[in-house]
Amino acid sequence: MSDTAIPAQTPFRLSMLIYDRRYRSLTFQVIVFILVMAFGWWLISNTIENLRVLGKDFNFGFLFQRAGYDIPQPPIPYTSDDTHLRAAVVGVLNTLIVTVLGCIAATVLGVIVGVARLSNNWLFARLMTIYVEAFRNVPLLLWILVVFSVFREVLPPPNAFRGENATASMIFFDNVALTNRYTAIPTLGMTNDPGSLDLGWRITISWATIAFAVALIGGWLVHRAIANWAQKTQDQTGSRPTTWWMSLAVMTVPSLLLIWYFGLHLIPPEMKGFNFVGGLNISNGLVALWLALTLYTAAFIAEIVRAGILAISKGQSEASFALGISPRRTMSLVVLPQALRVIIPPLISQYLNLMKNSSLAIAVGFMDLKGTLGGTTLNQTGRELESILLMMGIYLILSLIISAGMNYFNSRVKLKER
Amino acid sequence: MSELHAETVPFVRETMLPPAPPPTQEAGAVRWLRTNLFSGPVNSALTILGLLIVWFLVNHFWNWFAHSVWNAGSLSECRQIIIDRWGEGSTGACWAVVRERWMQFTFGFYPSGLYWRPTMAFGLLFVALAPVLFSESRKIRRIVLLTAAVLTLSAMAVLGAPTHWFIFAAVIFIGATVIAEQNPGRLLIFSLLFPFLGVWWLWGGSLWGPIMALVGPVLGWVAYRLLGRFSPILAGIGMILVPLLWWIFLAGDAARDAENLASLAIPAVASDRFGGFLLSITIGLSGIALSLPLGIVLALARRSDMFLVKTLAVMFIEFIRGVPLIALLFVASLLLNYFMPPGTNFDIILRVIIMVTVFAAAYMAEVIRGGLAALPKGQYEAADALGLDYWKAQRLIILPQALKISIPGIVSTFIGMFKDTTLVTFVGLYDPLKSMSDAVRASTDWKGIYWEPYIFVGLIFFIICFGMSRYSMYLERRLQREHR
Amino acid sequence: DTLADVKARGELNCGVNTGLVGFAAPDANGNWTGFDVDVCKAVAAAVLGDPAKVKYVPTTGQTRFTALASGEVDVLARNSTWTFSRDTDLKLDFAGVNYYDGQGFMVSKDLGVTSAKELDGATVCIQTGTTTELNLADYFKANNMTYTPVNIDSNAEGEQQYMAGACDAYTTDASGLAATRAAFADPENHIILPEIISKEPLGPAVRHGDSNWGDIVRWTLYALIAAEEYGITSKNIEELAKSSQNPEVQRLLGTTDDLGAMIGLDKEWARRAIAASGNYGEIFAANIGEQTPIGLARGLNAQWTQGGLMYAMPFR
Amino acid sequence: MSEAITRKIDRSQMQVSDEVAISITNMNKWYGTFHVLRDINLTVHQGERIVIAGPSGSGKSTLIRCINRLEEHQAGQIIVDGVELTSDIKNIDKVRSEVGMVFQHFNLFPHLTVLENCTLAPIWVRKVPKKQAEATAMHFLEKVKIPEQANKYPGQLSGGQQQRVAIARSLCMQPRIMLFDEPTSALDPEMIKEVLDTMIELAEEGMTMLCVTHEMGFAQAVANRVIFMDQGQIVEQNNPHDFFNNPKSERTKLFLSQILGH
Amino acid sequence: MSEAITRKIDRSQMQVSDEVAISITNMNKWYGTFHVLRDINLTVHQGERIVIAGPSGSGKSTLIRCINRLEEHQAGQIIVDGVELTSDIKNIDKVRSEVGMVFQHFNLFPHLTVLENCTLAPIWVRKVPKKQAEATAMHFLEKVKIPEQANKYPGQLSGGQQQRVAIARSLCMQPRIMLFDEPTSALDPEMIKEVLDTMIELAEEGMTMLCVTHEMGFAQAVANRVIFMDQGQIVEQNNPHDFFNNPKSERTKLFLSQILGH
Ligand SMILES: Nc1ncnc2c1ncn2[C@@H]1O[C@H](COP(=O)(O)OP(=O)(O)OP(=O)(O)O)[C@@H](O)[C@H]1O
Ligand SMILES: Nc1ncnc2c1ncn2[C@@H]1O[C@H](COP(=O)(O)OP(=O)(O)OP(=O)(O)O)[C@@H](O)[C@H]1O
Ligand SMILES: [Mg+2]
Ligand SMILES: [Mg+2]
């Protein structure tokens, strides 16, 4: 019995390129490759020729020139004297901010709505259906414009807060002002400022922030340890000790101590001149974009969640009930872990869509990547080829990162089949 | 003792009990309210919350809707009427702008005398779709065709279509309805011709252009047939090359010469006259019609076992799906000219359609890939065992089934694409939502009108998209039944 | 060669604004009117003999220069500012100036502001993709003031923003401010601040490298300006062509010398250009002048003989 | 009766105590206005094995599901192990942890291993330490003869094995009563035997069982009593021997002729 | 041999010619590194009916599938009807149109009617005119006794009917050799007979057949030869009578005891 017989080689004939299965696919691939390469070369040579005719070059040097335009509320220090590169980075950060905030809010809202649509409350389920259908079947651009306009038309302008007989007033104990330009919220002040860490490139992080981060992460780790201990106790004795107060304590006490140590206090925004100063003014462009993206994406996520839960057959919860497991535990031990597996893949695409849709920021004047690199920079420098290619590259990388992360998660929870 | 109970329990029911009505609590409105609205504290709270939401919405918007004005020549006139009618300080909706400009929202700047042409094209679209989308149920087919016929013909009459075109449309509708009764498959010819006719009706000009374009595939087929005798590879190459050569070098001249010999021209309408829903629907439909074949090819390529082909397909799909449509539209408007040979300069609508197509094709490929993956492996094997080659197996066995499974996905891709056509506003085209509304506001009469155009356009989008999504859900349900 | 292309095509592709009342905007039927549009018409009349043979290509702030560079349009008549970098780095050639503008601010009266210098800390609405954005940054920096920009994509949206009080000031070219203000329900409640913070010479632009085509556009524009100087109007042009004794007018209208031949056109090119929608003054008056809702005064744009900057080079 | 004793189980060996496990009196249930269960009266003693048969739609499943309140009844009384089933959640929980149920489609939790399936309820409901729960689970898995599959996922098992896991899972809660709803009807013929064997073994140990099934061989082998239902009513009940050999009602006869002829 | 004649088919009537239909020499196949088929040598003559048996996973299906190149073999030679199977596409096509195959799960095309299922390959592969293809198809549908179902869709037929359509579909290509891969194992017991009858009829007409099956009754009734495979090798081959009554290898004995005992 030969265990490693090597297939006999038949002599090669030219016709085998076409008629032999092995070579045929090779032939085909080579042809496709040549065609694709030729097409690519054709595009590139056209581009080179066009650039030559126009007397332009292909060069990213413009990124290091002075940008000259301002960006409201840059997440990192930025002035009009900075380079286009820095403006682009500000744009990327803004895109990321709105994406992350949007994904979190849309997930929360989407899950709530998705579950609510399954509720046996007739009225509420109908309302949620109306919400979902309205948002899914009307262009996002309209929702962005509508939300933006609602903010603009319904909320008072800042000067309504001014003077003795102001027509508008602040909320949350005079800490927050909703205006038709921005939402003014308090900033944090410290009486005992520990200074900040310079990360270079004029980016600084306050030591206080770092201290809080460490406290929170540490608290969370301790909480995990407590949870592990609780689990172990349960495994051994069968009953689970109540640990929520311990967790709460380790999560909050260090932070409270730090607040006391740094003398942290709120600096409420104050109406001064044209606008509120002292606090943080979150522009309505960002809020409207975030809200519209959230509402729009949540409608899709709601459908995904609903489908995910419906996909778990009724038999699963019945079996769980029959074992005497309470409805709440049934949800967390039986239904959700399974629904999650159905939900995650389409959820990834919704996150990706949200990230891509955030490029509609252009409609509300929020300076995201599209607004800086693909907008003003492109316009001022006339480097459309470079700007747009760079912009697409960045979007592509962000997409790939999101989907890679979620795919990893997905592969970990996959169901085992025969 | 063991038999004790068994011995004592024998029981036979002599008369069957009739069904009794449920206890009163369990029926009627009380029960409905109890189970649907107030079945527990949480539920009651939700009901109250829901009522509050409804009350809030009604309270805020009712007045505005109730104070609607439909007849006015300008915004100031509107405001005056509202004040006259409902008193100082009252606000209301001024739908007069929609009434006055709805043709513009619908047709953009299309010459008003020719409005009937897009209308006819749109109506006949349903005939073209009949064998593809409504082929299964005779009842639906009838309803769709007849409704389309009545609506289109009356619209054409109102818009003043020339008599001969009116008769033409009527004949096609009647013919299609009759043919569809027997064998909707035969309408497929019309479906295949429709893209060419549709382009002709929309853009006008000489019919010879589309005809000559159509000659390309015919020549390709002839070449395939002729060369097929020598070698299938040669035939394949010929089938692709001959039409290409024809289109690039000969078709234009041939069309011109033919036009000179026998004129088949209707007034031409340039692309820059397209706007509003006409533009959206044109882009949307061309996008779907072109992205479907491209998506199929991409999906097949992605499932191919040839490494290179698969890699290229994956790269292409992931690239397109990783980039916002708006970036691709900017590519269309800013970069595409760089990529073309110097001196070529083609229509911005065409460029946008290309990018939208490419974008939709990547999504379509994923949808169709799902459909292909859902087919059992046995179908492939059975086709192989019968001696069908790859392409025949795909065409006759695999794709018909995979596409059917994918219809819901395809429809939702289409809905997404149709909504996304509003983004063309950012490259200077007159989409119905933003550009058209801005254009209307740019006139002194309607300066400052804000919500009404948006609501109107949004409502139309909603009706179209909601209709499509309901239709696809219906299809999904029916397919589920069939695949049981 | 653009001239040959245009003639072969039988149509002039003219890049215009997507909708700016008075300068270029389509009406309900898609007919374009406006100050910039009339320049297009004049060029088309000069080159093709028919002012109607123009295809208007709406361009946004972002797409305009690319449209020109890539050959999508032959001439860009879209209130674009002539700047150094645009003329050199962006490979455009400006053919002249048809409107001298400058960036200004509009504020609501009850804000109590009378000078741009008092705008420290204000929120300012601007349209993205314009030189305004840069000027604004420079101006506030130079005056050591801070501001919050609100970048708006279209003019209509910007006005809406301003009217709702979402910005304290609206900044754009003074002509645009006037047009915007004119359209308000309560123009008297808004003032345009006296400071003009930049020079904004607006004019038609062509691709770099085709001097002859540039000459045609440039001299068509001058023909319109010169016509006003010499009192040639669309009404009296035929009569003057026959009767005028002014040698400059004769040359301009092609009665004597054949200037047109030097730029590859026929003798009567300028006569057609002027006849298309009148001389510069007529165009101004019809589209943006004081009689129109926009109501701009001639100001800097008056003829040099009246103290303005409009100065046509001699036709000789 | 004596003829049936020669069958696989020696019924005389099995102790049917006098203690009442389930008592249903005048129970009625409606789905909307549809009267599914009509005036059901049934008393089941500790250790009894009852087989419920009847045509499709006759309400067998509904009856069984009412017993552990997977469905709510609207009139009458159900008392399980001394606890009356009302909307009182505590009572329901008590009853459910005393009553095991095996479904037609197994309803195993696909995201958990076989062992985790079996230990889930003991750990979270009975608060049994994990170690102990696992030991019990292994014991019952051995009883159903698949201890070696303990760490596989349900998706990796055959149908018969899955159903046996489902039985083991119920047993792990050490219920006093087991309900079976057509436990073998979703299985391939070879696998039916595996599952029936397991059930017979259970029966031999004296578990109180209510079983909806069409396996008449099983009924004859283990049941103390066969109940025939039609149109939501108990039409006939008797010991298996008399039930099969001497049915009294016309409907029963018709049904038996179909079932046995098939 | 003579004892088997009393069985359903009179084997002496059936002509087994000397012409070789399939010849497999030293054939080996690997899945990755897993050696599924080892040194297979098999010669099938025109008109022979061969039944292949063996435990699950022994490579029966793989062997059958190699014969029409649904799987590729890596060493040795397979000659079908004088054509050697290499990667040459023309040869593969030739062989496939001479060899019909019937699958366990029928694999009918659900989007085509029964008639279209049957005419598809003749029309597109053999380029037969549609009319003629339909006539042939009806002929074979009559043969499998379901001509009245011609215009239904496969989804509307029972399993047995579907499998008969699958047989008719293969026959429409008028193959010289038929391969069956467990054609009855997905069927309900009542339907198995329908299909086996059809196959027996085919056998009577002298079709060359290779059939993987566990229906030992069928094997005894029609096979000229039974081949027993295990672990990818042919362990034993013999005429049915000797194979069943007098198996030589230990494995065969074990296998037969399981199969027949079951
Ligand atoms: N949730 C429900 N809502 C309304 N009707 C129901 C519901 N569940 C079951 N029914 C109806 O109640 C009747 C009894 O159903 P049940 O499932 O108890 O029958 P069964 O005897 O178990 O039948 P089978 O042998 O088919 O399982 C049937 O007519 C069924 O249609
Ligand atoms: N595509 C494949 N890749 C890897 N291994 C495979 C593949 N197909 C089958 N095998 C393995 O090859 C061996 C033989 O499979 P084959 O299907 O031929 O067995 P069989 O005798 O037909 O069994 P059964 O009676 O279960 O159908 C099995 O161990 C199987 O797991
Ligand atoms: Mg049931
Ligand atoms: Mg097999």
Side-chain angles (χ1 to χ4, degrees), chain C:
Chain C
D1 181 15
T2 316
L3 177 59
D5 288 349
V6 172
K7 280 189 167 158
R9 205 187 303 132
E11 198 176 46
L12 176 75
N13 290 337
C14 196
V16 293
N17 199 312
T18 48
L20 180 61
V21 188
F23 286 86
D27 67 9
N29 301 317
N31 300 318
W32 288 81
T33 51
F35 189 68
D36 287 333
V37 167
D38 284 340
V39 173
C40 297
K41 285 185 181 162
V43 174
V47 175
L48 299 170
D50 183 354
K53 286 191 172 159
V54 189
K55 182 180 162 203
Y56 297 97
V57 179
T59 54
T60 66
Q62 318 240 1
T63 62
R64 52 184 165 172
F65 298 127
T66 316
L68 182 62
S70 66
E72 203 182 329
V73 299
D74 304 311
V75 53
L76 180 71
R78 183 197 188 281
N79 52 336
S80 303
T81 310
W82 187 350
T83 67
F84 179 87
S85 67
R86 284 178 179 173
D87 208 345
T88 55
D89 195 34
L90 289 193
K91 311 290 177 200
L92 312 179
D93 275 348
F94 281 86
V97 176
N98 65 347
Y99 192 91
Y100 287 97
D101 212 338
Q103 184 174 340
F105 295 95
M106 175 164 64
V107 294
S108 162
K109 236 181 204 153
D110 40 314
L111 210 57
V113 171
T114 53
S115 157
K117 296 259 160 58
E118 298 165 27
L119 285 176
D120 192 10
T123 303
V124 184
C125 283
I126 37 168
Q127 229 178 312
T128 49
T130 57
T131 46
T132 2
E133 229 173 330
L134 304 185
N135 297 332
L136 186 69
D138 288 349
Y139 180 78
F140 275 82
K141 194 161 143 32
N143 288 296
N144 231 336
M145 301 190 298
T146 59
Y147 70 107
T148 313
V150 175
N151 310 63
I152 289 303
D153 179 50
S154 73
N155 196 35
E157 207 68 37
E159 288 169 12
Q160 205 71 32
Q161 200 76 7
Y162 170 74
M163 280 196 296
C167 30
D168 299 306
Y170 184 49
T171 180
T172 185
D173 296 349
S175 61
L177 289 182
T180 302
R181 178 167 165 252
F184 283 169
D186 53 344
E188 65 282 358
N189 288 336
H190 301 271
I191 52 170
I192 294 174
L193 298 179
E195 284 85 355
I196 295 294
I197 64 168
S198 71
K199 288 185 288 190
E200 304 282 341
L202 309 179
V206 296
R207 252 185 309 286
H208 186 81
D210 189 348
S211 315
N212 186 46
W213 178 248
D215 289 341
I216 291 175
V217 177
R218 174 174 306 117
W219 287 97
T220 305
L221 181 60
Y222 283 151
L224 299 179
I225 298 172
E228 187 187 15
E229 185 179 344
Y230 301 129
I232 309 171
T233 66
S234 50
K235 306 222 171 48
N236 65 11
I237 187 165
E238 291 307 322
E239 192 195 319
L240 282 182
K242 285 192 212 96
S243 61
S244 173
Q245 298 307 312
N246 184 338
E248 183 106 17
V249 173
Q250 286 177 339
R251 278 196 296 275
L252 179 59
L253 298 183
T255 334
T256 54
D257 289 5
D258 188 0
L259 293 181
M262 299 178 199
I263 51 173
L265 301 176
D266 60 7
K267 261 180 149 180
E268 305 195 327
W269 64 279
R271 199 193 293 183
R272 288 194 306 268
I274 298 164
S277 21
N279 65 31
Y280 181 83
E282 286 176 277
I283 294 175
F284 194 103
N287 292 304
I288 51 178
E290 278 166 334
Q291 306 308 315
T292 64
I294 299 178
L296 292 175
R298 284 295 287 266
L300 284 180
N301 295 297
Q303 288 288 335
W304 62 286
T305 46
Q306 332 240 296
L309 289 175
M310 282 297 154
Y311 183 98
M313 305 306 147
F315 280 78
R316 189 171 287 281

Side-chain angles (χ1 to χ4, degrees), chain E residues 31 34 36 54-63 71 181-182 214:
Chain E
Y31 279 126
F34 173 55
V36 243
S56 181
S58 56
K60 310 177 297 290
S61 301
T62 312
L63 173 59
E71 303 285 351
D181 191 0
E182 310 200 19
H214 292 136

Side-chain angles (χ1 to χ4, degrees), chain D residues 31 34 36 55-62 182 214:
Chain D
Y31 279 127
F34 174 56
V36 244
S56 179
S58 55
K60 308 178 297 292
S61 301
T62 312
E182 309 200 21
H214 292 137

Side-chain angles (χ1 to χ4, degrees), chain A residues 55 70 81 152 180-181 275 365 384, chain C residues 121 123 141 147 151 164 166 168:
Chain A
D70 279 306
D81 288 331
R152 183 181 62 214
N180 67 354
R181 295 176 195 173
N275 286 310
E384 55 267 336
Chain C
T123 303
K141 194 161 143 32
Y147 70 107
N151 310 63
D168 299 306

